[in-house]
Amino acid sequence: MTGVKVKTNPHAGLPGGRHRWRFHLSVLLLVIPIVLSPKFFREEALFFGDSGLGQRELGEKAIGPWHVHVAEYMANAPTDQGLAGHMKTFAIRWNAEDADHIKASYFRIGKPRSLRAAGVVLSGGPYRQMADVPIPERVKPTDALWLTVEGWDGTVHQAAIPLDEASPATIAWLKQRGETR
């Protein structure tokens, strides 16, 4: 037995010995949250309204006698929602003196034919309302995002925001999508 070499474990004296992969896994479990936390906190601040209405604020718009702040919630291309089609999220905030006079607000791409076809109703409190606006199949870059507002007194006011002003990312997506069709 003097001529037989016994193979020794190179990690025998180190903590963990031959289970060194467990150490690497635990380090990875500590590093991943540290790397991803800035993105998480940015998205949380946007979701709770601490960083404004959205990623791209369009400023204050006048609609009839009222004033509203409009924002594109996420400044990226519309998201595919399966059978519902592509959607884009917009947010608004009414001025404090106007909020009590508003009954309902609607967003739509393309001019609404009537109040019954005004578009997607915005939901939320008067100081942060949001809606997922469907992108029609035949939308053109020259179309507009229409905001229809119904007051408690029965009046209806509409305002158009050109789509290239409301969402440049959607315009870029439309151009890219037009090339692939």
Side-chain angles (χ1 to χ4, degrees):
M1 283 236 177
T2 58
V4 177
K5 284 188 170 181
V6 177
K7 197 171 191 181
T8 59
N9 185 355
H11 303 294
L14 298 173
R18 58 179 190 224
H19 298 292
R20 181 157 258 201
W21 64 271
R22 290 181 182 169
F23 168 74
H24 292 295
L25 182 62
S26 65
V27 169
L28 192 63
L29 290 174
L30 289 173
V31 170
I32 288 175
I34 292 170
V35 170
L36 296 179
S37 65
K39 181 179 188 258
F40 171 78
F41 286 117
R42 265 194 316 273
E43 288 177 358
E44 284 295 304
L46 184 63
F47 179 74
F48 288 111
D50 296 336
S51 62
L53 271 178
Q55 286 184 343
R56 249 189 94 255
E57 296 205 20
L58 306 176
E60 186 173 317
K61 305 287 181 187
I63 177 161
W66 307 305
H67 294 85
V68 64
H69 295 270
V70 182
E72 181 181 15
Y73 186 67
M74 298 292 265
N76 52 12
T79 56
D80 186 6
Q81 299 292 327
L83 293 175
H86 289 82
M87 300 281 186
K88 186 73 182 165
T89 305
F90 291 94
I92 65 169
R93 178 182 62 236
W94 291 104
N95 285 352
E97 59 272 2
D98 298 333
D100 293 336
H101 304 285
I102 308 299
K103 182 177 181 181
S105 310
Y106 307 91
F107 264 136
R108 177 187 166 100
I109 293 180
K111 185 168 179 154
R113 297 179 305 276
S114 68
L115 187 58
R116 289 184 62 192
V120 179
V121 67
L122 284 105
S123 61
Y127 304 109
R128 185 182 175 103
Q129 295 182 340
M130 299 177 73
D132 287 333
V133 181
I135 308 295
E137 284 293 321
R138 297 177 186 222
V139 67
K140 299 181 293 277
T142 56
D143 286 345
L145 177 69
W146 283 80
L147 176 61
T148 303
V149 180
E150 182 181 7
W152 283 108
D153 59 356
T155 59
V156 176
H157 300 280
Q158 293 180 326
I161 304 167
L163 200 53
D164 60 348
E165 178 188 336
S167 178
T170 301
I171 297 297
W173 175 78
L174 285 171
K175 289 179 180 175
Q176 180 263 333
R177 188 174 160 203
E179 292 171 0
T180 59
R181 279 190 181 184

